[in-house]
Amino acid sequence: MPFIEVRGLVKEYPTATALRGVDLDIEKGEWLSIMGPSGSGKSTLLNILGGLDSPTSGSVMIDGTDITTLNENRLTVFRRERLGFVFQQSHLIPHLTATENVMIAQFFHSIPDREEAEEALRRVGLSHRLNHRPAEMSGGEQQRVCIARALINNPSLLLADEPTGNLDRENTKNVLNLLRELHEEEHFTIVLVTHDPFVSRWAEREVTMEDGRIVKDEALY
Ligand code: ADP
């Protein structure tokens, strides 16, 4: 059984149909990118995989659990225990330091541990930024904090929506290389949404969406 099994996923909004029947299997430890033009349904699919949105119909099995049938409390626990999120906007808390921003994620999961949070930031190359606030860091550094925060509780699935969307090419490369290193070490599954072929190339497999459907699915290497 695949780690993630999506079947017949449909999402209708009053004004638009975002997903028109998506079937997708994702293996454990795979790095998959979801490509496609703006409005093709990428974010909707990612949000449903993360339990941030619910489908009109269809199912999403993750590691044996159909998350579309969980109530809000169980879904919250599932997200907390199993998932990490990185978005285009960093969503860091402005008045907290890098270390404290990571500790917040520990707090919501279990117990804050400063040592462990600092170690995670060192791991993403931020040993010189532990006590800096978001505004005192570059965009690339802020996204590194986000990666440390997303991975601090050892999720089995990392969901990323245009994580380098605000970065220049150099910082994009740095952040993706970092993600590759962490992925090689920890073997968590990555699903990354992007409209940028340059970013998509870091994945092992690429699915392309058009108008709410998967129109292409290919291994990249
Ligand atoms: P992408 O991530 O590929 O840009 P989205 O998943 O954001 O695409 O959107 C797919 C379609 O669903 C678009 O037509 C979009 O306008 C529509 N859509 C997305 N979210 C909403 C919403 N909350 N309310 C209404 N329509 C939405």
Side-chain angles (χ1 to χ4, degrees):
M1 194 181 191
F3 180 56
I4 301 176
E5 193 181 76
V6 176
R7 288 293 176 270
L9 211 58
V10 171
K11 178 65 178 183
E12 286 165 358
Y13 291 109
T15 49
T17 301
L19 299 176
R20 300 173 188 272
V22 169
D23 297 305
L24 180 64
D25 287 354
I26 306 172
E27 298 303 325
K28 198 167 181 60
E30 194 167 33
W31 180 340
L32 176 84
S33 81
I34 302 176
M35 276 276 286
S38 180
S40 57
K42 307 182 297 296
S43 295
T44 302
L45 175 57
L46 195 83
N47 289 341
I48 293 174
L49 287 178
L52 301 173
D53 199 353
S54 54
T56 306
S57 60
S59 64
V60 178
M61 299 287 287
I62 301 182
D63 212 5
T65 303
D66 185 351
I67 64 162
T68 63
T69 64
L70 297 180
N71 66 30
E72 202 48 53
N73 284 343
R74 284 180 184 276
L75 201 52
T76 302
V77 172
F78 183 83
R79 274 198 300 264
R80 197 174 63 205
E81 299 296 326
R82 309 298 300 275
L83 307 185
F85 292 93
V86 182
F87 298 101
Q88 178 167 359
Q89 308 294 337
S90 70
H91 298 296
L92 294 169
I93 299 173
H95 61 276
L96 298 183
T97 65
T99 304
E100 289 163 349
N101 266 287
V102 175
M103 289 171 72
I104 288 281
Q106 295 174 313
F107 171 77
F108 283 114
H109 180 263
S110 46
I111 303 169
D113 180 334
R114 181 173 289 273
E115 282 291 302
E116 200 181 81
E118 289 180 352
E119 187 47 40
L121 287 167
R122 284 190 199 100
R123 185 68 199 80
V124 298
L126 292 177
S127 48
H128 57 311
R129 294 285 184 268
L130 301 181
N131 297 312
H132 284 60
R133 294 187 169 74
E136 301 163 334
M137 290 183 275
S138 72
E141 288 171 342
Q142 290 182 38
Q143 282 310 71
R144 283 165 179 268
V145 178
C146 291
I147 291 172
R149 178 181 60 180
L151 298 179
I152 191 69
N153 300 312
N154 299 314
S156 47
L157 174 60
L158 179 69
L159 298 170
D161 195 347
E162 301 280 7
T164 56
N166 285 340
L167 305 180
D168 59 26
R169 272 286 179 260
E170 203 50 38
N171 275 301
T172 294
K173 256 197 265 182
N174 290 340
V175 165
L176 290 168
N177 280 334
L178 167 68
L179 213 47
R180 179 177 281 168
E181 265 176 45
L182 296 169
H183 179 245
E184 278 169 6
E185 282 170 22
E186 311 279 342
H187 309 296
F188 46 87
T189 308
I190 303 180
V191 181
L192 187 152
V193 160
T194 183
H195 68 280
D196 184 347
F198 178 81
V199 173
S200 186
R201 250 185 271 144
W202 260 261
E204 295 157 340
R205 176 181 160 209
E206 177 183 274
V207 300
T208 306
M209 295 191 66
E210 251 174 48
D211 195 23
R213 290 191 181 87
I214 291 176
V215 294
K216 200 160 97 185
D217 185 339
E218 61 180 357
L220 296 184
Y221 59 85

